[in-house]
Amino acid sequence: GKPRTAVAVQLNPETLAVEGGLDLLVKEMDKLFLKDNTQQLFCAIDAFEKFKRSKSMSMDEYIAEFTRLYKCVVECREGKDSYEDGILAYKMLMQAELSVEDQRIVKAIAKP
């Protein structure tokens, strides 16, 4: 893409040809990929936050997809959890698109 081309054009070939030149190239490329990692994190959070269970989706399918999307967020954060367990449980309940009555039942049997 455009940013990678910009790095290749900005770096002098003689600079890359000397000892440590490859390290310099890697360092410059890391700057660009760190931005890409940030964008990946934003996309992962966005997908996780917007996900809701469709009426045709089984609860098992919903939980599997919810878990997969959350793992993407955690992966982008290099293994750091993004939500406390209670908040994650609340999000799972709210995004499940359950009826008010079903939500009450789940809340009644949930352990604090």
Side-chain angles (χ1 to χ4, degrees):
K2 190 174 181 179
R4 289 174 186 87
T5 304
V7 170
V9 171
Q10 289 175 3
L11 294 175
N12 185 335
E14 289 81 30
T15 304
L16 297 175
V18 298
E19 187 172 333
L22 181 59
D23 291 335
L24 176 64
L25 178 62
V26 169
K27 190 176 187 179
E28 290 299 313
M29 294 300 288
D30 280 347
K31 291 177 188 176
L32 295 172
F33 285 115
L34 288 177
K35 291 179 186 173
D36 288 347
N37 288 344
T38 300
Q39 291 303 314
Q40 282 182 327
L41 174 61
F42 290 166
C43 289
I45 291 170
D46 193 47
F48 176 70
E49 289 290 330
K50 290 180 178 177
F51 175 67
K52 294 196 183 299
R53 182 177 73 96
S54 67
K55 298 297 179 192
S56 63
M57 185 180 275
S58 74
M59 196 52 70
D60 286 338
E61 291 170 326
Y62 165 70
I63 292 169
E65 183 64 6
F66 183 94
T67 303
R68 185 191 71 76
L69 290 170
Y70 183 65
K71 283 183 180 181
C72 288
V73 173
V74 172
E75 230 175 69
C76 287
R77 294 199 67 224
E78 299 173 352
K80 298 176 192 168
D81 284 333
S82 298
Y83 301 91
E84 295 174 14
D85 289 344
I87 294 170
L88 196 57
Y90 176 80
K91 290 189 70 49
M92 181 178 271
L93 177 62
M94 293 297 105
Q95 291 173 218
E97 297 288 303
L98 298 174
S99 69
V100 174
E101 183 60 30
D102 286 342
Q103 285 183 22
R104 277 192 209 128
I105 292 169
V106 172
K107 289 176 183 178
I109 61 173
K111 296 179 183 179

